[in-house]
């Protein structure tokens, strides 16, 4: 989600967002970048927009939002996992679910990386024949921790 990229410029999240970007640049991990994230980046400050350009294109998988993701996002809203006001966040989760992304990374603790909401998203997923989605912060999914011994 866009917050991970913006996290590279936020003192609270910089260490872990930067390290995740290093893993994307090296190809240790593949970044899945949706059209939703690209639209959000258009509204971001220039330094945030340009950060994605550091990642080699072969280490990025581009994803388009399809009707199936829109339907699943609506189910998240209908089932009370998230409100309509945060539809774009629901789309991020639905896109990741439909595309079977290994893990959705985010710093959005209110609507995305939130245990109660994750349980609700996964309840909707299972009820509708989709797999559970792993939602974590970059810190939780890094291959290498900074200052490891």
């Amino acid at each position: 989600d866009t917050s991970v990229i913006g996290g590279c410029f936020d003192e609270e999240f910089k260490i872990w967002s930067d390290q995740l970007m290093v893993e994307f640049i090296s190809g240790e991990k593949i970044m899945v970048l949706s059209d939703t994230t690209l639209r959000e980046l258009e509204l971001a400050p220039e330094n945030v927009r340009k950060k994605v350009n550091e990642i080699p294109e072969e280490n990025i998988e581009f994803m388009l939002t399809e009707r199936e993701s829109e339907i699943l996002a609506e189910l998240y809203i209908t089932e009370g996992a998230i409100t309509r006001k945060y539809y774009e966040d629901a789309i991020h989760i639905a896109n990741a679910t439909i595309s079977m992304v290994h893990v959705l990374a985010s710093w959005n603790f209110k609507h995305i990386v939130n245990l109660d909401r994750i349980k609700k998203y996964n309840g909707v997923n299972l009820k509708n024949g989709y797999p559970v989605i792993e939602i974590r912060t970059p810190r939780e999914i890094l291959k290498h921790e900074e200052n490891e011994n």
Side-chain angles (χ1 to χ4, degrees), residues 1-84:
D1 134 82
T2 315
S3 67
V4 173
I5 302 161
C8 294
F9 305 96
D10 183 316
E11 280 305 310
E12 184 177 2
F13 305 119
K14 182 175 179 35
I15 293 170
W16 302 288
S17 281
D18 281 347
Q19 183 59 39
L20 185 57
M21 290 297 145
V22 167
E23 291 186 13
F24 288 144
I25 290 166
S26 72
E28 289 180 67
K29 290 186 175 48
I30 300 297
M31 174 184 262
V32 179
L33 196 57
S34 71
D35 54 345
T36 303
T37 302
L38 291 172
R39 275 194 312 277
E40 290 177 352
L41 283 171
E42 288 174 7
L43 304 173
E46 184 177 358
N47 59 344
V48 176
R49 288 194 315 268
K50 287 185 172 182
K51 190 70 179 172
V52 174
N53 297 336
E54 296 175 13
I55 301 168
E57 198 165 316
E58 63 268 16
N59 297 343
I60 300 175
E61 183 180 313
F62 293 96
M63 170 188 9
L64 292 175
T65 300
E66 297 189 15
R67 183 70 185 131
E68 187 177 6
S69 291
E70 293 170 349
I71 291 168
L72 184 55
E74 288 293 334
L75 288 172
Y76 294 147
I77 293 165
T78 303
E79 298 283 332
I82 195 167
T83 64
R84 183 158 308 283

Side-chain angles (χ1 to χ4, degrees), residues 106-109 111-115 118 135-137 140:
S106 178
W107 291 117
N108 180 336
F109 296 108
H111 303 115
I112 299 179
V113 190
N114 174 299
L115 185 58
I118 292 169
I135 301 174
R136 301 284 183 255
T137 67
E140 295 173 292

